[in-house]
Amino acid sequence: MTDNAAQAVTELPSSWDPAEEEDALYQRWVDAGYFTADPGSGKPPFCIVLPPPNVTGSLHMGHALNHTLMDALVRRRRMQGYEALWLPGMDHAGIATQNVVERELAGQGVSRHDLGRERFIERVWEWKETYGGMILDQMRRLGEGIDWSRERFTMDAGLSRAVHTMFKRLYDDGLIYQAERIINWCPRCRTALSDIEVDHSDDEGELISIRYGDGDNSVVVATTRAETMLGDTAIAVHPDDERYAHLVGTEIELPLTGRHIPVVADHHVDPEFGSGAVKVTPAHDPNDFEIGTRHELPMLTIMDESAVITAAGPFEGLDRFEARPAVVAALREQGRIVAEKRPYEHAVGHCSRCDTVVEPRLSLQWWVRVGPLARAASEAVRDGRTVIHPPELAKRYFDWVDNLHDWTISRQLWWGHRIPVWYGPNGETVCVGPDEAPPSGEGWYQDADVLDTWFSSGLWPFSTLGWPDDTRDLATFYPTSVLSTGYDILFFWVARMMMFGLYAMDDVQPFDHVYLHGLIRDASGKKMSKSKGNALDPLDWMNNYGADATRFTLARGASPGSDIALAEEWAAGARNFCTKLWNATRFALMNGATVDTPLPESGELTEADRWILGRLGEVVGEVDARFEEFQFAKVISALYHFTWDELCDWYLELAKVQITGGRAASTRAVLGHVFDTVLRLLHPFIPFVTERLWTALTGGESVVIAEWPGQRAGYAAYADAAATSRIADMQKLVTEIRRFRSDQGVKPGQRVAARLSGAGFAQLDGHEEAIHTLTRLNRAGEAFSPSVAFEVGLSCGNASVELDLSEAVDVIAERKRLDKDLDAARKELEQTEKKLANPSFVEKAPAEVVEKMRARKQAAETEIERIESRLASLPGS
């Protein structure tokens, strides 16, 4: 061992303890400024803006997955010589944050209305400073290489200016307007919701068929919301439906109200569905609103903001869910109920924030005219400026963007960006930009609504870089390089950023690549939830297994667009990998691995050296190719199997033989080079353990700023197909001998005498010592008397193996054990044969049960053959 290697080993603890190491390592990286980007460096830029977590949020597995993948991308690019910026920040999360603070106030017996708007906003800011941003501290635990000097918040001064600038420009260009339309309304949050803020589920309800009118002039309609009939202003039928042709243009009495409503003909009605007639409630249904608009029908609002009935009559003052059975009872009393179906499962919209059933409601709101914006967003993907990974999800993007409806952006909240529009005493409407003074004087007031949270987060890729100002960051890092997010947010956020980015930045896309990963599920593929008891907490994983093991497990399952099944034992397996890497690197150091010695020429190295270096070159190439395709699972697979299966399980064992056999200098150089490279390759995924090991191995400042292995050349010089083939033969021979020893009951540490021969073995000249060492075989002496023999087929011919197991195996005990196993296998075979011989079973049992029985029979036959073979090979048989 060299002096430097000896010192490095003494600096490393005997085992890797994440809890003792991670915090200090992370703080050292931050203090050293490794994550702080310099737009003036002259390096090629690489930029990812963090999808801003809600200020109310904490780190969950979805965050941990996405953040791990982004960090891996950024760390690799940094090592490749890019000026890599990973920009962090948080979203103010309008509804979610307001709800949290309102609940806190309710616990004190106070409402936001008691405080008033200004004082309530102050309380939200106080809450944000005290409790908000917990997730940012948790991100440090995960080891994220974030530029904390550029942290942003969607309501900081700079981003507020960007929001007001965007609103003003869209307004002046006629792309923002105010209109009264049907919107999704949450009676709990008392605000409008966009379509993508509504979660749909199949709920149990009722389907009530009601007869309007009498005799030949009657019509039957069906509804799941009987209370809305109080707001009906028409009956609609299809123009070609002859059943109702005589009624079109006439009026029918609306039950319970005394009002008469017209029968109209509209192509929207499906004559094959139900009775072919539908009730039209324009103020409380989006389809009915369109019918009402086409036929100029009255639009009667019958509920207030809390979904309480306001229509005059006996139901006034009832909540909608109280009014529903009351209306049905009143209709039943009048003999108007034709049919009732309960339970009736149908799709129901729920507020994504509080799970309240959403109520369609006619309301005056602010809208974005998305037509031209959506066309630009579609074209940017179609012409390749932005590439979606995996490509098959591009169709879902087009399906959404190409059919996008105008977006309602006003919210009836207090926490958020207030709409910059003022109204005057004489009906004036003035939109005010961020650098303009709002109108003043008696009678002027600002719009009370705030903007949808997605409006401000839609500006995130460029507002965080300084827009609308022409900053150096914006000039250097826009367009950003990659957006990484779950496929479930493709419509929420990605489409909005595309629309706004192309509009604000002169048709330049906000990101070059969109990588869409899957969702986290449990080991059985089920969606995780706390109520089901199958949710996993990344913080628990980091406490129990370390950040590296958590990251490694998540990345190991990440394929573009595919969901990821997780189980805690996989995190334990990842921890074992980190431990394996730790022990293997310490072994290399203890055996004098060097990185300051140039690798010898190919001809001066052993076949094992050339094989491992050739394989290393292949792995570097595969890792680079898969990284560019965002195939993280394949990157991890390649690194895992090379590190564990080839480097640790084979080359380290061969290196021991070489070092003791006079090849110490070259072997130490190869060991050093291979571990140096592997630690660099693994660093983007397991940054902490690789940092500790790499600095000990190389004496370098930090692997964070080390050169990426793909930048190095020269691996091809060591590729040797003949050496690879001979190593593969050697591995097969060793594996078969080890398996035979185990099958014969030879203890792992027991050395036995052996004679190896044959044409195949002769071709492994130079590997004899390694084969005998790795299989714990002693060379046969003059008195050698083999008790068992077998052959191994190799690519270069057969190898004959003769062993003397007379003193290595307790033949009597082994035969007794095998006889017992043989009896059990024969009993299993007898039972399965009897079952399969029964025609009743074969014909009547489910196909999968019969197939399983056949598989059991085949397994029993295989086991009997194996045991009989082992019995025959025992000494004395």
Side-chain angles (χ1 to χ4, degrees):
M1 185 188 305
T2 65
D3 292 341
N4 289 341
Q7 182 180 353
V9 172
T10 58
E11 290 176 354
L12 287 176
S14 60
S15 62
W16 169 243
D17 185 350
E20 290 292 324
E21 302 271 4
E22 289 175 351
D23 287 347
L25 287 173
Y26 188 83
Q27 193 57 50
R28 187 172 76 84
W29 294 334
V30 173
D31 292 343
Y34 296 148
F35 306 147
T36 305
D38 177 9
S41 69
K43 299 177 182 178
F46 181 83
C47 179
I48 292 179
V49 291
L50 177 78
N54 287 353
V55 68
T56 59
S58 61
L59 193 71
H60 57 63
M61 277 298 181
H63 289 128
L65 166 65
N66 195 31
H67 292 200
T68 292
L69 303 182
M70 286 186 284
D71 196 35
L73 291 169
V74 173
R75 285 180 181 271
R76 173 172 174 261
R77 285 297 192 220
R78 186 180 291 116
M79 295 173 75
Q80 286 181 315
Y82 286 76
E83 193 60 46
L85 168 61
W86 189 10
L87 192 150
M90 292 183 297
D91 191 285
H92 66 279
I95 296 177
T97 306
Q98 179 158 321
N99 283 347
V100 168
V101 177
E102 284 199 73
R103 283 197 297 270
E104 188 179 79
L105 289 173
Q108 302 167 8
V110 179
S111 74
R112 64 178 165 121
H113 300 285
D114 294 330
L115 293 180
R117 184 170 192 144
E118 187 174 335
R119 179 64 188 125
F120 176 76
I121 296 300
E122 290 176 5
R123 285 292 294 268
V124 180
W125 276 107
E126 290 170 5
W127 181 92
K128 186 261 181 186
E129 294 304 317
T130 304
Y131 302 107
M134 177 173 60
I135 191 172
L136 299 181
D137 293 331
Q138 295 166 346
M139 286 161 54
R140 295 171 182 264
R141 284 283 315 276
L142 198 60
E144 300 179 30
I146 293 254
D147 185 346
W148 296 107
S149 70
R150 286 178 165 85
E151 183 182 336
R152 305 303 301 269
F153 179 53
T154 50
M155 284 187 63
D156 66 30
L159 267 66
S160 293
R161 183 166 181 266
V163 167
H164 291 156
T165 300
M166 175 61 79
F167 188 99
K168 172 70 172 173
R169 291 189 185 181
L170 290 168
Y171 181 89
D172 289 346
D173 286 346
L175 295 175
I176 281 183
Y177 64 96
Q178 195 175 35
E180 190 174 41
R181 291 183 177 177
I182 287 285
I183 49 90
N184 303 298
W185 182 266
C186 176
R188 159 64 182 80
C189 300
R190 294 191 182 186
T191 182
L193 305 173
S194 67
D195 290 342
I196 57 176
E197 292 173 302
V198 178
D199 296 331
H200 292 275
S201 61
D202 290 331
D203 295 359
E204 283 192 359
E206 61 183 12
L207 182 66
I208 307 298
S209 296
I210 310 168
R211 179 172 51 84
Y212 289 13
D214 297 295
D216 292 339
N217 293 333
S218 66
V219 175
V220 174
V221 298
T223 180
T224 58
R225 300 160 64 217
E227 71 281 3
T228 62
M229 67 157 293
L230 302 173
D232 287 357
T233 58
I235 297 292
V237 298
H238 194 275
D240 300 330
D241 194 333
E242 295 181 358
R243 293 172 296 174
Y244 303 111
H246 67 290
L247 292 178
V248 174
T250 68
E251 290 189 342
I252 289 180
E253 183 175 351
L254 180 65
L256 306 182
T257 67
R259 289 191 291 113
H260 286 76
I261 58 176
V263 178
V264 300
D266 195 280
H267 285 88
H268 171 76
V269 181
D270 180 1
E272 303 298 325
F273 184 77
S275 68
V278 297
K279 60 191 286 297
V280 182
T281 319
H284 292 278
D285 183 274
N287 293 321
D288 293 3
F289 174 79
E290 298 298 332
I291 295 174
T293 301
R294 286 192 290 271
H295 296 276
E296 298 182 350
L297 298 174
M299 299 193 181
L300 303 181
T301 299
I302 61 163
M303 297 183 204
D304 66 13
E305 296 177 348
S306 299
V308 171
I309 302 297
T310 57
F315 311 106
E316 185 175 3
L318 295 180
D319 175 81
R320 55 182 167 163
F321 297 126
E322 297 172 335
R324 184 170 301 170
V327 167
V328 171
L331 290 167
R332 187 182 299 113
E333 186 176 336
Q334 291 188 5
R336 294 288 174 180
I337 301 297
V338 175
E340 299 179 59
K341 185 175 182 181
R342 297 187 184 90
Y344 178 73
E345 192 173 89
H346 62 120
V348 177
H350 296 258
C351 174
S352 62
R353 297 298 180 187
C354 69
D355 202 40
T356 299
V357 173
V358 167
E359 190 65 39
R361 187 170 188 266
L362 185 65
S363 180
L364 181 66
Q365 302 287 342
W366 287 95
W367 303 79
V368 172
R369 198 182 312 277
V370 299
L373 303 175
R375 284 192 292 274
S378 180
E379 188 61 30
V381 174
R382 284 192 161 94
D383 65 23
R385 280 174 285 161
T386 294
V387 180
I388 292 178
H389 306 266
E392 55 266 26
L393 286 183
K395 182 181 183 303
R396 292 179 61 183
Y397 174 82
F398 294 134
D399 287 344
W400 174 263
V401 173
D402 293 344
N403 298 285
L404 202 57
H405 298 294
D406 284 0
W407 167 26
T408 175
I409 56 172
S410 44
R411 298 291 179 269
Q412 289 64 54
L413 305 171
W414 287 355
W415 173 246
H417 293 282
R418 195 165 175 181
I419 289 176
V421 171
W422 271 256
Y423 304 105
N426 299 312
E428 303 96 331
T429 299
V430 177
C431 181
V432 178
D435 300 321
E436 301 170 348
S440 59
E442 186 176 350
W444 283 94
Y445 64 96
Q446 186 177 359
D447 195 300
D449 290 350
V450 299
L451 287 165
D452 178 9
T453 299
W454 296 102
F455 189 98
S456 52
S457 59
L459 315 181
W460 192 250
F462 51 95
S463 63
T464 52
L465 296 172
W467 186 90
D469 295 329
D470 187 16
T471 66
R472 195 168 189 180
D473 275 359
L474 190 63
T476 302
F477 295 112
Y478 189 91
T480 65
S481 307
V482 178
L483 171 72
S484 175
T485 190
Y487 64 68
D488 59 326
I489 208 168
L490 179 63
F491 315 128
F492 280 86
W493 191 42
V494 178
R496 280 152 170 64
M497 288 189 289
M498 288 291 286
M499 290 191 296
F500 281 173
L502 291 161
Y503 172 79
M505 298 300 294
D506 298 323
D507 213 31
V508 177
Q509 71 281 3
F511 17 75
D512 298 329
H513 297 271
V514 175
Y515 167 69
L516 300 167
H517 59 73
L519 308 182
I520 299 289
R521 300 188 180 275
D522 69 12
S524 301
K526 297 177 181 177
K527 186 176 180 180
M528 287 189 182
S529 72
K530 291 181 179 178
S531 61
K532 292 179 181 177
N534 65 344
L536 297 172
D537 189 338
L539 297 175
D540 290 341
W541 277 23
M542 286 190 279
N543 290 334
N544 295 333
Y545 308 108
D548 287 331
T550 301
R551 293 165 59 112
F552 194 83
T553 304
L554 292 165
R556 195 174 185 179
S559 296
S562 298
D563 288 349
I564 301 169
L566 285 184
E568 188 158 354
E569 56 263 31
W570 301 338
R575 178 191 58 192
N576 294 342
F577 176 78
C578 294
T579 299
K580 183 88 168 180
L581 182 67
W582 182 271
N583 293 338
T585 308
R586 288 188 81 250
F587 168 84
L589 284 166
M590 291 172 65
N591 283 273
T594 60
V595 295
D596 51 3
T597 304
L599 282 174
E601 296 294 327
S602 177
E604 301 175 30
L605 297 176
T606 67
E607 287 187 330
D609 295 335
R610 295 199 295 277
W611 162 71
I612 198 66
L613 289 171
R615 281 291 298 127
L616 180 63
E618 292 173 354
V619 170
V620 170
E622 183 176 1
V623 166
D624 276 330
R626 299 307 184 192
F627 248 120
E628 296 302 322
E629 299 167 351
F630 303 96
Q631 293 281 0
F632 297 100
K634 292 182 178 179
V635 172
I636 291 290
S637 178
L639 290 172
Y640 177 90
H641 289 295
F642 175 78
T643 303
W644 192 300
D645 300 341
E646 297 178 277
L647 176 56
C648 296
D649 284 357
W650 285 105
Y651 185 72
L652 284 189
E653 298 302 317
L654 296 172
K656 293 178 187 177
V657 178
Q658 292 183 175
I659 289 173
T660 58
R663 307 285 307 205
S666 59
T667 302
R668 286 167 177 160
V670 173
L671 274 174
H673 182 87
V674 174
F675 274 94
D676 175 16
T677 303
V678 165
L679 292 171
R680 295 178 196 233
L681 291 172
L682 285 166
H683 175 71
F685 298 102
I686 48 174
F688 292 110
V689 68
T690 52
E691 171 79 347
R692 195 71 169 86
L693 292 173
W694 188 85
T695 53
L697 176 71
T698 67
E701 180 183 339
S702 173
V703 69
V704 175
I705 54 174
E707 185 180 53
W708 180 251
Q711 312 297 98
R712 298 156 140 188
Y715 294 113
Y718 298 100
D720 184 338
T724 298
S725 177
R726 279 159 53 83
I727 291 295
D729 277 343
M730 182 272 295
Q731 290 173 329
K732 182 177 180 181
L733 179 57
V734 169
T735 299
E736 290 301 319
I737 293 173
R738 286 173 169 173
R739 181 180 294 118
F740 189 83
R741 282 172 55 106
S742 176
D743 287 345
Q744 297 303 313
V746 179
K747 296 178 181 178
Q750 176 72 50
R751 299 194 70 89
V752 298
R755 180 164 57 214
L756 308 180
S757 59
F761 181 71
Q763 292 298 314
L764 297 179
D765 179 44
H767 294 289
E768 299 94 332
E769 186 62 33
I771 293 170
H772 281 83
T773 300
L774 297 180
T775 56
R776 296 191 178 275
L777 299 181
N778 293 329
R779 284 180 171 80
E782 293 181 3
F784 175 74
S785 177
S787 58
V788 293
F790 64 97
E791 289 195 341
V792 179
L794 305 176
S795 67
C796 52
N798 288 349
S800 297
V801 181
E802 298 172 281
L803 303 175
D804 179 6
L805 303 181
S806 58
E807 297 181 2
V809 179
D810 184 338
V811 178
I812 295 175
E814 182 66 7
R815 186 180 299 281
K816 185 176 180 180
R817 184 180 69 82
L818 289 173
D819 284 339
K820 183 178 179 181
D821 290 347
L822 184 59
D823 287 342
R826 285 171 173 166
K827 185 176 181 180
E828 169 74 357
L829 179 61
E830 180 183 353
Q831 290 175 343
T832 55
E833 285 179 334
K834 183 178 180 181
K835 203 78 171 174
L836 291 169
N838 183 350
S840 179
F841 170 77
V842 175
E843 294 170 5
K844 295 181 179 180
E848 60 270 22
V849 174
V850 176
E851 189 57 38
K852 187 175 181 180
M853 189 62 63
R854 289 191 177 116
R856 284 176 55 187
K857 176 179 177 291
Q858 184 177 358
E861 290 172 339
T862 302
E863 181 69 357
I864 290 170
E865 183 180 348
R866 182 185 69 83
I867 296 172
E868 288 178 340
S869 175
R870 288 178 61 187
L871 282 166
S873 68
L874 286 175
S877 299

